[in-house]
Structures are given as structure tokens and as C-alpha cells.
């Protein structure tokens, strides 16, 4: 179907590949992507340790410790993990802003301000 | 009319007029407004809309009650329904926004093939319908208790209001109404929670202060023959807690009505920040819920402990009228309480409490004034309606955009497209009314079904489609079908649905947890089949490459910092 091929192209960066695609100076792409993946893996590791680790796998051990009335494992499962989730997304969004700027792929309005 | 009814009526009427007014202000004339709100919703507002869309009748009405009865294991809902946003923010939202289409089936259609698109559209419709049913019956409960309207009329009234703003405003109307609904919902949830925390502990921050009553709660629970509140794995085995949490997380990240919200932001960056705002707004309620559960349970147990049946607090009689609270015949004083109807019927407890009433009844149980109780009614309705509207939009967009225009009329004019989308929405509302009046199971269980299906069909294929260029159409179709068939079969095997008999859980894995296993199966099948068949075309691989970068490269601004 012809219209699917068309819509596919629109899905890219407004049509044509960026300058230098397939050329020798494409190293930045790999670098950018590797840094993105590294950040992602670190954050997801924290995500797993806090929720599945502290809240489920080691909850009984942590429950031996009590803080402000909360058994610690119980606290992680019902409170702590949620606060950490917010932090993780916050760190991700801010770090990606910096990464986008560093590699010149952040979204800008015509006057150069963040869009 | 009692005080509570009057106040409930005032708040419900007031909030409904606000919703209708917003709908009128944001009516749309073109499909881009209808499906993705013209892609100019600010991240903050979009976050609030996602939160309202996301927090359903189950979150608002049932969750604190579930936690109160499950104790420590109630954390599966708390972590499961928030942790998914980390996955969504890091793995899906920015990339799908960059792809820049209207619907999830549309992404898989472009990325894989037309047949994958059709499978995805049908699954999206099924998942959303399963979910919308819970919202409708949740709304009905609120109406029947607070306004003394019969449940089926309650469903119809809620549906008519949703119909009004969803059909005329589409995504745009829904988004701005949801911002209002979030506000109503969170205010209605937090005020009673603060008040209860203040009266019981002297500290108005429930998140901090419910620690103080846990020891007391553990003790009184034991006297009523319940499990120790803070002890883990009393309600579910550890493996099941792990799998249910995982299923709910990846189900969250795979639910079409949540993903679709990230298409409405202006930029990729906006999608990342929308996810952040969404979780902040959701966490406000989700960190309060376990406190509400604990406080209300303690209050309730203390209220009935050692009291003779004729002297029980008035909330007992109020809720007995709705059938959500029952007392066993010949009980003199309440010695044991259960939330399990089967245990109760077998004479195993003196009192039966439905999970769904805990939040709705908590202000009454704590003896808070009538206006607050009325506000909670409006909040419960906001939660049910905001989610229902988001789901109906997915149903309408999948039915019209992904099925009708593809197969019936793909040269339809803009006006015709909009008309068909509205008709699809109208039909969806009618079907939802029917199921809302004749719900198949209780609210929470129905929702679990939707999660399992979303987890086992969409999530793995979306992730692989974004991160692994080699994923192809054959792999995606086989993976999705494998996950879907496996998960649905296990659910039918272990639950009483469609007249089938419920069987024992295999390895203690509950039907809520099976989605995680289905997702793993989906992942493996997709990878294996993709590897064995031809790679996707150069063109598709180039598209996948492009979504990695938010914008076209301009001169790097390294020197700026």
C-alpha cells in the first residue's frame, strides 16, 4: 500500500536523513546512543534493586530494622520505592536534556529557545 | 434527604458542570485535535491528565481497601502501578512520541506490518473494554450509595456526561477535563486522609504518621483472627508477589490508553517530563493510599470491637443498604471480620466488608463532617469518569483510525473521519453502559485482566521494536499471539469466567501475575522467530534509527557549559 510507505517517511526527522547519515562523521550517533543506554541501564538497575530487591526479595530481612514505626522492608514496599521512582524519572529527564544539548539534538524553536 | 446526600449532590452537580463547560470550550473540528489534542498540551497539564486517566475507580475506590485487607502484600498494587512509569519514561514514551503517530497500533503497523496493526488494534479494543467495565461499575457504586440512585441509572448518568465531552472534545476535551478531574480527585482523597491522620496521631502527614499505628494494628488484627498487618507474604507467596508486581508494572507501560497520552505532547522532551509529572501526581495519591488503608482499618476494628450489634456505628447500617457490608445471622458482637464472601457464607466470620467501601466510607468511619463525605463521592466519580473517557478514546481511535479507514474507506475526508470517530465513540459508550450495568466480576479483578493482556501482548513487542532493529513482522505477530493465548488461557483456567470452572494456581502463581510470564514468552518467541526470518527492510531500520534522536542535529552547544 502506497500510503504506508509515505507515512513511514514522515515518521523520521521530517523526511530526509540528517546530514552525513551513512557518512564517516556518524560516530556521534553511536556515542550518543551508548550514553543513553548506559544511563538507562544504571537507572533501571536502581529501579529493580529498590522495588524487587528491598520491597520483595529481601523484605523480611529489612523488616528486622524499624524506623519511625515502619519495618524498613514494609516501608520500601509501600512508600520508599515510589519516591525513588520519581527520582529516577527526574534524573533521566534532566540528564537527557544535557545529553541532547551536548550532541546538538535537542528540540529548539526558531529563536533557539527550548521548545 | 440526609446531609451527606445533599452535599454529595452539590459536589457532583458542581464538578459535572465544570466538566461540561470545559468540553464546550475545547470542542474540536479536526482529527488531529480529536486524537492527539493538536499536540500542544504542556508537560505539566499532560502529567495531570495522565494521572487522572491512569488512576481509575480501582485506584481511588478499591486500592486502599485492598491494601487494608492484604496488609504488607498490598504493596503489589503500590509498586506495580507506579514502577511502570519508570519503564514508560525510559523505554517507551520519548521514542513513541518521536515516531509521532496517533495510536499504538499505528506504531506497530508502520514498524512491522499491516497485519500486526490489525492484531494490535483488536487487542487494544479488548483490553480497553475490559478496563472500562470496571470504571462504569465503580461509578455506579458511588451513585447508589451517595445519591440513592439505582446503580444502573448511575451508570447511565456518568456515561452521558462522558459522552458529552469525549464525543465533542475528543482528546483535547478529554485532556483538559482530566486536568480538572485530577484536581477534584486528589483534593477529595487528601483532605479526609489528612484529617484522619491528624485526629489519630496528631501529625497531618499520613505518609509519615501511619508508622505510629502499625504496631497497634498488628495487635488488634490478631485479635480479630487476621494476619499480622506488616508481615510480608501472608496473602500471597513471594513468587506471586514478585510476578504480580512485575505484571502490573509492564502492564502499565503497555496499556494503550496510557501510551497514547504521550503522543499529545509537543516534543520528545515534553514526553519525558510528562512522565515525570504524571508520576509525581500519581504518587500523591499512591503514597497516601496505604496510610488511608491502615488508619481506616484500625478505626473500623476499634469501632466494632466488643460492641453489641444494635450499638454498632451508623456507617455499618448505611453501607449494609448497598450490600457491601453484611452481618452474619445471630451475631451478638463482632469478633471476626473478612473481605472474602465465600468465607463469610461458610460461617467463618461475623462481618463481611467489601474492599470497595473503605475509601468511600473512611470519612464516615472517622466521623468527619458531611461535606467531606460528599466531596469523596465527587472524587470517586472523577476517578471513574476520567479513566473511562481515556479508554473510550482508545476504543474509538482503534476502531475508526486503525480498522475502519484501513479496510473500509481509506480516502475518507477530514469531516467524514471525524464523524466516524464520533460514531465509534458513541457505540463504545453504549457497550460500556451495558457492561457497567451487568459487570462480569468485581472491579479489581476485571482490571487485573486488562493488565495481564497489555503486559503479555504490547510491552515486549514495543520494547523490541524500538531497541532491536532486527525485530520483524513475523516475530512480532508470533510473539504477541503467543503471549496473548498463553496469558488468556491461564486466566480462564484459574478464574471463573465465561462459565468455566476455577482451577488451582500452578506454583502459586495467581491470574494477576501470569502476565509477566506471558510477556517473557512473548519476548522469547519474538526474538527467535525474528532471528529465523528475514530482517526488516532498510527503510524500516532507518526509521528505527531516527527515533533515537529527538531532533535533527544542529551545531553542538558543548561550549555553552
Amino acid at each position: 500500500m502506497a500510503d504506508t510507505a509515505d507515512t513511514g517517511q514522515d515518521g523520521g526527522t521530517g523526511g530526509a536523513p540528517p546530514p552525513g547519515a551513512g557518512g564517516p562523521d556518524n560516530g556521534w550517533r553511536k556515542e550518543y546512543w551508548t550514553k543513553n543506554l548506559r544511563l538507562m541501564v544504571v537507572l533501571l538497575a536502581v529501579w529493580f534493586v529498590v522495588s524487587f530487591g528491598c520491597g520483595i526479595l529481601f523484605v523480611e530481612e529489612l523488616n528486622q530494622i524499624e524506623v519511625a514505626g515502619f519495618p524498613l522492608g514494609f516501608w520500601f514496599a509501600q512508600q520508599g520505592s515510589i519516591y525513588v521512582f520519581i527520582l529516577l524519572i527526574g534524573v533521566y529527564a534532566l540528564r537527557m536534556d544535557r545529553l541532547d544539548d551536548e550532541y546538538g539534538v535537542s528540540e529548539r524553536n526558531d529563536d533557539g529557545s527550548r521548545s | 434527604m440526609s446531609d451527606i446526600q445533599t452535599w454529595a449532590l452539590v459536589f457532583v452537580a458542581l464538578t459535572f458542570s465544570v466538566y461540561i463547560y470545559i468540553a464546550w470550550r475545547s470542542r474540536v473540528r479536526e482529527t488531529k485535535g480529536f486524537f492527539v489534542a493538536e499536540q500542544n498540551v504542556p508537560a505539566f497539564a499532560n502529567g495531570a491528565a495522565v494521572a487522572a486517566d491512569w488512576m481509575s475507580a480501582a485506584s481511588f475506590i478499591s486500592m486502599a481497601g485492598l491494601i487494608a485487607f492484604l496488609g504488607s502484600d498490598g504493596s503489589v498494587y503500590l509498586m506495580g502501578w507506579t514502577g511502570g512509569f519508570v519503564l514508560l519514561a525510559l523505554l517507551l514514551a520519548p521514542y513513541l512520541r518521536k515516531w509521532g503517530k496517533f495510536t499504538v497500533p499505528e506504531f506497530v503497523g508502520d514498524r512491522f506490518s499491516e497485519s500486526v496493526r490489525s492484531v494490535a488494534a483488536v487487542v487494544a479494543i479488548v483490553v480497553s473494554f475490559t478496563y472500562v467495565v470496571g470504571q462504569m461499575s465503580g461509578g455506579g457504586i458511588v451513585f447508589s450509595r451517595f445519591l440513592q440512585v439505582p446503580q444502573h441509572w448511575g451508570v447511565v448518568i456518568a456515561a452521558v456526561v462522558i459522552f458529552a465531552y469525549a464525543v465533542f472534545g475528543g482528546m483535547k476535551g478529554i485532556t483538559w477535563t482530566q486536568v480538572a478531574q485530577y484536581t477534584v480527585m486528589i483534593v477529595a482523597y487528601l483532605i479526609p486522609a489528612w484529617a484522619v491522620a491528624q485526629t489519630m496521631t496528631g501529625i497531618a502527614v499520613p505518609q509519615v504518621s501511619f508508622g505510629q499505628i502499625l504496631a497497634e494494628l498488628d495487635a488488634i488484627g490478631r485479635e480479630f483472627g487476621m494476619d499480622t498487618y506488616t508481615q510480608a507474604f501472608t496473602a500471597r507467596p513471594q513468587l506471586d508477589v514478585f510476578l504480580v508486581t512485575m505484571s502490573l508494572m509492564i502492564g502499565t507501560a503497555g496499556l494503550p490508553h496510557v501510551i497514547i497520552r504521550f503522543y499529545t505532547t509537543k516534543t520528545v522532551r515534553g514526553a519525558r517530563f510528562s512522565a515525570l509529572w504524571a508520576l509525581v501526581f500519581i504518587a500523591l495519591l499512591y503514597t497516601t493510599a496505604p496510610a488511608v488503608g491502615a488508619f481506616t482499618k484500625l478505626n473500623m476494628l476499634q469501632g466494632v470491637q466488643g460492641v453489641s450489634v444494635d450499638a454498632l456505628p451508623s456507617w455499618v447500617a448505611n453501607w449494609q443498604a448497598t450490600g457491601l457490608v453484611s452481618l452474619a445471622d445471630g451475631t451478638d458482637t463482632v469478633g471476626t471480620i473478612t473481605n472474602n464472601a465465600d468465607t463469610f457464607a461458610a460461617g467463618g466470620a461475623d462481618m463481611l466488608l467489601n474492599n470497595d467501601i473503605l475509601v468511600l466510607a473512611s470519612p464516615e468511619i472517622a466521623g468527619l463532617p458531611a461535606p467531606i463525605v460528599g466531596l469523596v463521592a465527587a472524587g470517586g466519580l472523577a476517578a471513574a469518569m476520567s479513566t473511562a473517557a481515556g479508554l473510550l478514546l482508545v476504543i474509538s481511535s482503534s476502531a475508526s483510525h486503525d480498522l475502519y479507514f484501513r479496510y473500509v474507506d481509506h480516502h475518507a475526508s477530514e469531516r467524514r473521519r471525524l464523524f466516524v470517530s464520533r460514531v465509534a465513540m458513541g457505540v463504545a459508550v453504549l457497550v460500556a453502559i451495558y457492561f457497567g450495568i451487568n459487570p462480569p466480576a468485581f472491579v479489581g479483578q476485571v482490571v487485573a485482566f486488562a493488565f495481564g493482556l497489555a503486559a503479555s501482548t504490547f510491552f515486549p513487542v514495543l520494547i523490541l521494536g524500538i531497541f532491536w532493529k532486527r525485530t520483524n513482522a513475523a516475530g512480532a505477530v508470533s510473539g504477541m499471539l503467543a503471549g496473548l493465548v498463553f496469558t488468556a488461557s491461564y486466566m480462564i483456567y484459574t478464574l471463573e469466567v465465561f462459565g468455566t470452572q476455577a482451577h488451582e494456581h500452578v506454583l502459586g502463581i495467581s491470574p494477576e501475575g501470569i502476565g509477566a510470564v506471558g510477556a517473557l514468552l512473548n519476548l522469547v518467541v519474538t526474538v527467535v522467530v525474528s532471528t529465523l526470518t528475514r530482517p526488516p527492510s532498510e527503510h524500516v531500520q532507518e526509521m528505527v534509527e531516527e527515533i533515537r534522536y529527538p531532533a535533527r542535529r544542529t551545531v553542538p552547544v558543548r561550549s555553552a557549559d
Side-chain angles (χ1 to χ4, degrees):
Chain A
M1 252 200 275
D3 60 331
T4 20
D6 287 343
T7 47
Q9 252 163 12
D10 293 337
T13 325
D25 67 332
N26 249 355
W28 71 270
R29 291 188 155 208
K30 218 173 163 183
E31 233 178 278
Y32 172 88
W33 188 241
T34 313
K35 284 190 179 173
N36 176 0
L37 291 182
R38 201 178 299 151
L39 175 65
M40 212 175 80
V41 168
V42 170
L43 295 176
L44 286 180
V46 177
W47 165 80
F48 186 85
V49 167
V50 171
S51 51
F52 292 94
C54 301
I56 299 174
L57 297 173
F58 301 105
V59 64
E60 282 164 327
E61 287 78 357
L62 286 171
N63 275 348
Q64 305 304 318
I65 308 165
E66 198 181 288
V67 180
F70 293 100
L72 194 58
F74 176 87
W75 183 80
F76 265 109
Q78 301 213 339
Q79 294 281 313
S81 54
I82 302 176
Y83 302 128
V84 176
F85 295 153
I86 296 178
L87 276 180
L88 291 174
I89 301 182
V91 169
Y92 175 75
L94 293 173
R95 291 294 291 260
M96 286 308 285
D97 267 2
R98 284 212 338 233
L99 193 65
D100 288 347
D101 283 348
E102 199 182 319
Y103 286 87
V105 291
S106 55
E107 296 135 309
R108 299 283 171 174
N109 294 324
D110 293 339
D111 60 359
S113 63
R114 260 191 212 291
S115 58
Chain B
M1 217 185 224
S2 72
D3 262 9
I4 289 180
Q5 267 174 276
T6 317
W7 281 106
L9 192 64
V10 167
F11 280 113
V12 169
L14 204 69
T15 52
F16 277 27
S17 355
V18 172
Y19 306 153
I20 300 274
Y21 171 74
I22 295 175
W24 173 251
R25 285 290 302 267
S26 50
R27 61 201 184 281
V28 292
R29 282 172 209 88
E30 50 178 51
T31 50
K32 195 164 184 190
F34 194 83
F35 289 128
V36 290
E38 292 148 9
Q39 294 187 325
N40 63 4
V41 180
F44 182 83
N46 199 46
V50 174
D53 198 338
W54 170 239
M55 291 192 288
S56 57
S59 294
F60 190 95
I61 300 173
S62 312
M63 195 173 61
L66 272 171
I67 295 167
F69 282 103
L70 293 173
S72 174
D73 294 345
S75 61
V76 295
Y77 299 108
L78 295 167
M79 290 196 286
W81 283 337
T82 51
F85 279 86
V86 178
L87 299 176
L88 202 55
L90 271 58
L91 301 175
L92 293 175
Y95 306 105
L96 292 177
R97 174 62 191 87
K98 179 67 198 299
W99 197 278
K101 290 303 177 55
F102 288 170
T103 65
V104 175
E106 203 167 17
F107 168 76
V108 293
D110 288 354
R111 172 66 180 82
F112 301 116
S113 71
E114 281 304 303
S115 52
V116 187
R117 177 185 175 125
S118 309
V119 173
V122 172
V123 175
I125 293 174
V126 172
V127 166
S128 303
F129 257 128
T130 332
Y131 208 134
V132 94
V133 171
Q135 309 312 316
M136 288 306 198
S137 52
I141 291 178
V142 177
F143 271 109
S144 64
R145 163 62 189 94
F146 292 100
L147 300 172
Q148 312 288 305
V149 177
Q151 179 146 350
H152 56 273
W153 280 114
V155 170
V156 172
I157 297 170
V160 167
V161 177
I162 294 171
F163 180 83
Y165 63 76
V167 168
F168 294 107
M171 183 60 115
K172 196 175 164 198
I174 289 174
T175 302
W176 291 109
T177 324
Q178 279 172 336
V179 174
Q181 282 163 334
Y182 175 78
T183 315
V184 173
M185 190 193 314
I186 201 70
V187 169
Y189 206 85
L190 294 184
I191 289 182
W194 288 338
V196 173
Q198 175 69 36
T199 26
M200 290 185 75
T201 63
I203 304 169
V205 186
Q207 285 88 338
V208 177
S209 58
F210 85 103
Q212 298 182 8
I213 60 141
L214 289 173
E216 211 179 330
L217 189 54
D218 280 350
I220 195 170
R222 277 192 291 267
E223 287 170 34
F224 275 94
M226 295 167 153
D227 295 318
T228 306
Y229 195 77
T230 54
Q231 194 186 328
F233 317 127
T234 51
R236 298 168 177 278
Q238 188 167 22
L239 174 68
D240 194 40
V241 169
F242 189 98
L243 288 176
V244 174
T245 308
M246 188 61 97
S247 299
L248 294 179
M249 283 188 186
I250 60 184
T252 300
L255 278 177
H257 75 284
V258 177
I259 295 178
I260 204 173
R261 307 314 302 246
F262 294 96
Y263 292 110
T264 60
T265 60
K266 211 169 144 196
T267 57
V268 173
R269 178 172 187 266
R272 294 182 196 133
F273 279 92
S274 286
L276 177 62
W277 281 117
L279 188 58
V280 169
F281 289 132
I282 290 169
L284 261 177
L285 192 146
Y286 270 59
T287 53
T288 309
V292 170
F295 283 132
T296 311
K297 187 172 184 181
L298 184 63
N299 249 331
M300 198 183 73
L301 296 181
Q302 285 173 341
V304 300
Q305 190 179 33
V307 178
S308 75
V309 167
D310 357 303
L312 283 173
S314 63
W315 60 264
V316 176
N318 287 343
W319 286 92
Q320 261 180 309
T322 62
L324 297 176
V325 173
S326 313
L327 287 169
D329 293 333
T331 307
D332 297 326
T333 53
V334 178
T336 46
I337 294 181
T338 183
N339 65 334
N340 185 323
D342 296 335
T343 312
F344 181 73
D350 301 333
M351 187 184 216
L352 173 71
L353 276 177
N354 187 299
N355 297 329
D356 290 352
I357 72 157
L358 251 94
V359 167
L360 300 175
S362 95
E364 272 177 280
I365 294 176
L368 296 179
I372 294 188
V373 184
L375 183 63
V376 171
L381 284 176
M385 288 166 61
S386 58
T387 307
L391 291 163
L392 290 169
L393 190 83
V394 170
I395 294 169
S396 144
S397 65
S398 296
S400 61
H401 200 79
D402 296 316
L403 296 174
Y404 182 84
F405 302 132
R406 287 284 144 177
Y407 296 111
V408 183
D409 180 4
H410 48 255
H411 296 295
S413 67
E414 185 76 358
R415 273 187 65 180
R416 177 143 186 87
R417 280 172 188 252
L418 204 54
F419 176 72
V420 172
S421 308
R422 282 177 169 150
V423 170
M425 181 83 85
V427 173
V429 171
L430 289 179
V431 179
I433 291 177
Y434 174 80
F435 282 114
I437 295 171
N438 308 295
F442 78 89
V443 177
Q445 200 166 22
V446 171
V447 171
F449 219 96
F451 276 88
L453 296 183
S456 60
T457 47
F458 288 129
F459 183 74
V461 166
L462 290 174
I463 295 291
L464 285 172
I466 291 168
F467 288 92
W468 192 45
K469 289 182 193 166
R470 187 66 180 72
T471 321
N472 63 19
V477 173
S478 339
M480 278 169 72
L481 289 179
L484 180 69
V485 170
F486 172 81
T487 308
S489 314
Y490 188 81
M491 285 180 166
I492 292 169
Y493 178 77
T494 49
L495 291 171
E496 270 179 65
V497 277
F498 318 121
T500 57
Q501 203 198 331
H503 292 78
E504 281 287 301
H505 297 172
V506 179
L507 297 173
I509 301 172
S510 60
E512 291 94 337
I514 199 66
V517 185
L520 187 66
L521 180 74
N522 177 339
L523 189 91
V524 171
V525 170
T526 309
V527 170
V528 170
V529 175
S530 293
T531 317
L532 294 178
T533 46
R534 282 198 311 154
S537 69
E538 281 288 315
H539 171 66
V540 167
Q541 298 204 29
E542 182 53 34
M543 289 197 302
V544 179
E545 171 76 21
E546 283 311 317
I547 60 171
R548 294 178 175 183
Y549 318 102
R552 292 183 67 162
R553 194 172 195 218
T554 52
V555 184
V557 289
R558 259 177 235 265
S559 50
D561 50 320

